[in-house]
Amino acid sequence: MSNDARNKKWSALVGATTAVLLVAGCSGGGDDSTADGDVTLEFTQWWEPELPDGALRALMDTFEAENPGITVELLSGPYASTKEQVVAGSATGTMSDVVGLDGAWVSDFAKQGSLADMSALMTDAGYDEDQLASQIQIDGSTYMVPVINFVYPLFTNDGLLADAGVTAPPSTRSEFFDAAEAVTAQGDNTYGWILPLSMEAPNGIQNDVMSWAWASGGTMLDDGQPDLTNDDVTSAVDYVQSLWDAGVVAPGSLTMKEQDKVEEFTNGRAAMMIDSLAHINLIRESNPDLSFSVSSIPAEDSFTGERGIPYASWGIGVAENSEHQAEAFKLVEFLMSEETNSELSSLANAFPGNTSAVPDFVEGDELFQDAFDIYTSGYPANEFVGLPVAEQLMRLFDEQLQMTLTGEQSVPEMLQASQDAWMAEF
Amino acid sequence: MKPALAERAAPTGHDVAPHPEVRKSRRKSSLRYKLVPYGFLSPTGVLMLVLLVVPVVMVIGYSTMDNVITNKNPVFVGLANYVEILTDPTFHVAVRNTLVFTITSVVAHLLIGLCFAMLLNTKLLANRIKAIFRVIYVMPWLFTVAIIAVLWRLLLNPNGVINYLLQAAGIIDQQVQWLSSPSTALLAVTFINIWAGYPFFMISLLAGLQGVPKDLYEAATVDGAGAFKQFLNVTLPQIKPIIVSMAMLDIIWTSQQFALIWMTTGGGPLDVTEMVSTYTYKLAFSRYEFSLASASAVIVLVASMVLAFFYARHQNARD
């Protein structure tokens, strides 16, 4: 082969490679409809890893069997990476057709215009909204439907409490304080309460701090705007500060995450924690000998009203950029149907988002029965749902709370600073 | 091959001028010949363009808008985002922490890496013992950042092994909240980063030490130089290029460390471990202030480019 011929051949090869790379690099995902009209829906969520192996896929198989021509591709990952993926998808207009959502994200995505107006989709599909336990709305339009709800009751290590002379889970703040002091006084590196305040995942503010205000019927908002200096929040933060000052909070709070909290409780080093019902099975599996119970979060001593109980949802939404919104809503309908919703809530040990659905675990497990009673006797409370930059609001509050706990400022100063920081975000 | 070489041979004064068609054909084939290297480079060029140049240009563009992604109609605001970032007290804290974290880490990486490399290069230890040491010393390098973060979170837990050992040895009276206390958190994450990063220095310096000609040491011995003088006047000058290159690379890498900080402290408590990387991440993914995050990233880019310039100049000087 002459040099010219060889050069020509190599040039052609390199040129072809370049062309392929250019095409591969520049082409997008394209239309996910096949030539025969079949549709593939992408469903991004963090649920699959948290459910028993194959459970969500099995539900999708059922959906596909009931809806010929629609295939569901599950894109699963941990909660944090799912959030980043959804944020990136929202930013680039490549959000999956159906997305798992946390209520704390909805406001931002709705304002970006990356979530479809589900109110319109429901109308188009002739869907009966009354069967939904709740809907997350922004400016009167629904952008997220909570599929299942996890409540956050008080978990108590009955053995540690008994050793400290406490015979029943505390139901008031005073009882809780006394119980926490009694357990801590036992020594041996055990503490009364555990409080995660990590800046990486600041949901401790929602679940472990603000829940004290909600449990006594309090609120952190006034007409949808921040109201952090009111008596409810002041009383709750004062109470947390008093627990901290009394030395009954397990060490390591300032960088502790939710999983650390559960681990410390499971290992018997913390007598009480506020946590998701979703962790009951995890705690049982990790420490089968641990005797624990769930109860309402203690309220102010004089409080007699209905208690708010914090909750978190596995929510669902449809992407605005989806070319198959009608098919995507069919998947939402399927997951919210009485039968599927019952099954999903049973699998996840959560409470259903469909008003008619009944999870089967409630009747077979004393702890879940207790939790269900707490859930039905109070009202679900999570004022962060639907707020703009909700996680950032928690982080701002967290920064100020950390400064307060470490003695750099007083509670009123902290609440005023948090109020100012929140108002700037609003 | 001979005819081909003859074809390419330079014309002599005795050659007859070729026909215009032949000249045209030669020019074409010469042009094609010159283009071949660019053809080979083009896949890399395309990848660099798509994966490096385009995103960098986009981020620089984003940094001059009022906000992007969350704002469908962004407005050009010039350097306003840079002014906001550079006047933000939290950014100053992040820069200070990043400097402390980076300088301490790089110096410690260098010293520990050099000590261990010399230990592994010494003739005083048997090869079998050196092999065992080599395996032990290189271990931190085998773990991913996520594993390192989880591992050290457990070890530095108030109820963890470190506190237990220190208490057992009578060094501390009560548990230390290594990662949760504002007074120890920066020290703790810096220590973890040092632990995770010294093997890279160690391996590189060991390779350098093994390449130092033995006759230099023999000559130094003949001249009456002791071990310390040999280290100062032979070893250090010989491995200086490696030390400088490694240090500059490490400064660039360490100043951009994100995963370790994020997974151990999240920038807390009280911002004492807030780095420029975590600060930028929070702007983007917590506050959705993508333009401010872009401005912060561009500042990091400029700082990195300055370091990269010195690194490249040093490499050129070596060549």
PDB file of all heavy atoms in Angstrom, chain A residues 70-81:
ATOM      1  N   ILE A  70     -47.276   0.617  26.793  1.00  0.00           N
ATOM      2  CA  ILE A  70     -46.500   1.515  27.671  1.00  0.00           C
ATOM      3  C   ILE A  70     -45.498   0.681  28.463  1.00  0.00           C
ATOM      4  O   ILE A  70     -45.879  -0.293  29.118  1.00  0.00           O
ATOM      5  CB  ILE A  70     -47.399   2.295  28.653  1.00  0.00           C
ATOM      6  CG1 ILE A  70     -48.479   3.077  27.905  1.00  0.00           C
ATOM      7  CG2 ILE A  70     -46.553   3.246  29.491  1.00  0.00           C
ATOM      8  CD1 ILE A  70     -49.424   3.849  28.819  1.00  0.00           C
ATOM      9  N   THR A  71     -44.261   1.071  28.367  1.00  0.00           N
ATOM     10  CA  THR A  71     -43.201   0.409  29.129  1.00  0.00           C
ATOM     11  C   THR A  71     -42.623   1.410  30.109  1.00  0.00           C
ATOM     12  O   THR A  71     -42.470   2.591  29.768  1.00  0.00           O
ATOM     13  CB  THR A  71     -42.084  -0.078  28.178  1.00  0.00           C
ATOM     14  OG1 THR A  71     -42.678  -0.877  27.169  1.00  0.00           O
ATOM     15  CG2 THR A  71     -41.027  -0.878  28.915  1.00  0.00           C
ATOM     16  N   VAL A  72     -42.302   0.948  31.308  1.00  0.00           N
ATOM     17  CA  VAL A  72     -41.729   1.847  32.315  1.00  0.00           C
ATOM     18  C   VAL A  72     -40.271   1.465  32.562  1.00  0.00           C
ATOM     19  O   VAL A  72     -39.971   0.310  32.859  1.00  0.00           O
ATOM     20  CB  VAL A  72     -42.502   1.783  33.648  1.00  0.00           C
ATOM     21  CG1 VAL A  72     -41.876   2.737  34.668  1.00  0.00           C
ATOM     22  CG2 VAL A  72     -43.960   2.131  33.433  1.00  0.00           C
ATOM     23  N   GLU A  73     -39.413   2.462  32.407  1.00  0.00           N
ATOM     24  CA  GLU A  73     -37.993   2.257  32.709  1.00  0.00           C
ATOM     25  C   GLU A  73     -37.706   2.942  34.039  1.00  0.00           C
ATOM     26  O   GLU A  73     -37.866   4.160  34.162  1.00  0.00           O
ATOM     27  CB  GLU A  73     -37.147   2.868  31.596  1.00  0.00           C
ATOM     28  CG  GLU A  73     -35.666   2.611  31.750  1.00  0.00           C
ATOM     29  CD  GLU A  73     -34.840   3.347  30.696  1.00  0.00           C
ATOM     30  OE1 GLU A  73     -35.421   3.766  29.670  1.00  0.00           O
ATOM     31  OE2 GLU A  73     -33.657   3.511  30.919  1.00  0.00           O
ATOM     32  N   LEU A  74     -37.319   2.148  35.027  1.00  0.00           N
ATOM     33  CA  LEU A  74     -37.054   2.711  36.354  1.00  0.00           C
ATOM     34  C   LEU A  74     -35.628   3.244  36.429  1.00  0.00           C
ATOM     35  O   LEU A  74     -34.675   2.534  36.115  1.00  0.00           O
ATOM     36  CB  LEU A  74     -37.245   1.639  37.430  1.00  0.00           C
ATOM     37  CG  LEU A  74     -38.671   1.151  37.664  1.00  0.00           C
ATOM     38  CD1 LEU A  74     -38.679   0.018  38.692  1.00  0.00           C
ATOM     39  CD2 LEU A  74     -39.563   2.289  38.132  1.00  0.00           C
ATOM     40  N   LEU A  75     -35.485   4.497  36.819  1.00  0.00           N
ATOM     41  CA  LEU A  75     -34.163   5.082  37.065  1.00  0.00           C
ATOM     42  C   LEU A  75     -34.080   5.306  38.577  1.00  0.00           C
ATOM     43  O   LEU A  75     -34.694   6.233  39.099  1.00  0.00           O
ATOM     44  CB  LEU A  75     -33.992   6.402  36.320  1.00  0.00           C
ATOM     45  CG  LEU A  75     -34.176   6.345  34.798  1.00  0.00           C
ATOM     46  CD1 LEU A  75     -34.021   7.724  34.185  1.00  0.00           C
ATOM     47  CD2 LEU A  75     -33.171   5.384  34.176  1.00  0.00           C
ATOM     48  N   SER A  76     -33.370   4.418  39.253  1.00  0.00           N
ATOM     49  CA  SER A  76     -33.385   4.427  40.716  1.00  0.00           C
ATOM     50  C   SER A  76     -32.036   4.818  41.292  1.00  0.00           C
ATOM     51  O   SER A  76     -30.997   4.530  40.708  1.00  0.00           O
ATOM     52  CB  SER A  76     -33.751   3.027  41.228  1.00  0.00           C
ATOM     53  OG  SER A  76     -34.923   2.573  40.604  1.00  0.00           O
ATOM     54  N   GLY A  77     -32.074   5.458  42.431  1.00  0.00           N
ATOM     55  CA  GLY A  77     -30.845   5.824  43.128  1.00  0.00           C
ATOM     56  C   GLY A  77     -31.184   6.243  44.532  1.00  0.00           C
ATOM     57  O   GLY A  77     -32.360   6.336  44.891  1.00  0.00           O
ATOM     58  N   PRO A  78     -30.168   6.527  45.349  1.00  0.00           N
ATOM     59  CA  PRO A  78     -30.441   7.029  46.699  1.00  0.00           C
ATOM     60  C   PRO A  78     -31.137   8.387  46.630  1.00  0.00           C
ATOM     61  O   PRO A  78     -31.055   9.075  45.606  1.00  0.00           O
ATOM     62  CB  PRO A  78     -29.042   7.157  47.317  1.00  0.00           C
ATOM     63  CG  PRO A  78     -28.136   6.380  46.438  1.00  0.00           C
ATOM     64  CD  PRO A  78     -28.745   6.371  45.086  1.00  0.00           C
ATOM     65  N   TYR A  79     -31.741   8.766  47.732  1.00  0.00           N
ATOM     66  CA  TYR A  79     -32.515  10.010  47.795  1.00  0.00           C
ATOM     67  C   TYR A  79     -31.703  11.220  47.310  1.00  0.00           C
ATOM     68  O   TYR A  79     -32.148  11.980  46.440  1.00  0.00           O
ATOM     69  CB  TYR A  79     -32.974  10.221  49.243  1.00  0.00           C
ATOM     70  CG  TYR A  79     -33.651  11.536  49.523  1.00  0.00           C
ATOM     71  CD1 TYR A  79     -35.028  11.668  49.361  1.00  0.00           C
ATOM     72  CD2 TYR A  79     -32.931  12.635  49.960  1.00  0.00           C
ATOM     73  CE1 TYR A  79     -35.662  12.872  49.626  1.00  0.00           C
ATOM     74  CE2 TYR A  79     -33.545  13.834  50.227  1.00  0.00           C
ATOM     75  CZ  TYR A  79     -34.909  13.959  50.060  1.00  0.00           C
ATOM     76  OH  TYR A  79     -35.516  15.152  50.326  1.00  0.00           O
ATOM     77  N   ALA A  80     -30.475  11.366  47.870  1.00  0.00           N
ATOM     78  CA  ALA A  80     -29.693  12.569  47.564  1.00  0.00           C
ATOM     79  C   ALA A  80     -29.334  12.641  46.081  1.00  0.00           C
ATOM     80  O   ALA A  80     -29.450  13.700  45.455  1.00  0.00           O
ATOM     81  CB  ALA A  80     -28.421  12.594  48.412  1.00  0.00           C
ATOM     82  N   SER A  81     -28.916  11.522  45.509  1.00  0.00           N
ATOM     83  CA  SER A  81     -28.516  11.576  44.101  1.00  0.00           C
ATOM     84  C   SER A  81     -29.739  11.705  43.204  1.00  0.00           C
ATOM     85  O   SER A  81     -29.661  12.292  42.120  1.00  0.00           O
ATOM     86  CB  SER A  81     -27.675  10.362  43.715  1.00  0.00           C
ATOM     87  OG  SER A  81     -28.396   9.187  43.916  1.00  0.00           O
TER      88      SER A  81
END
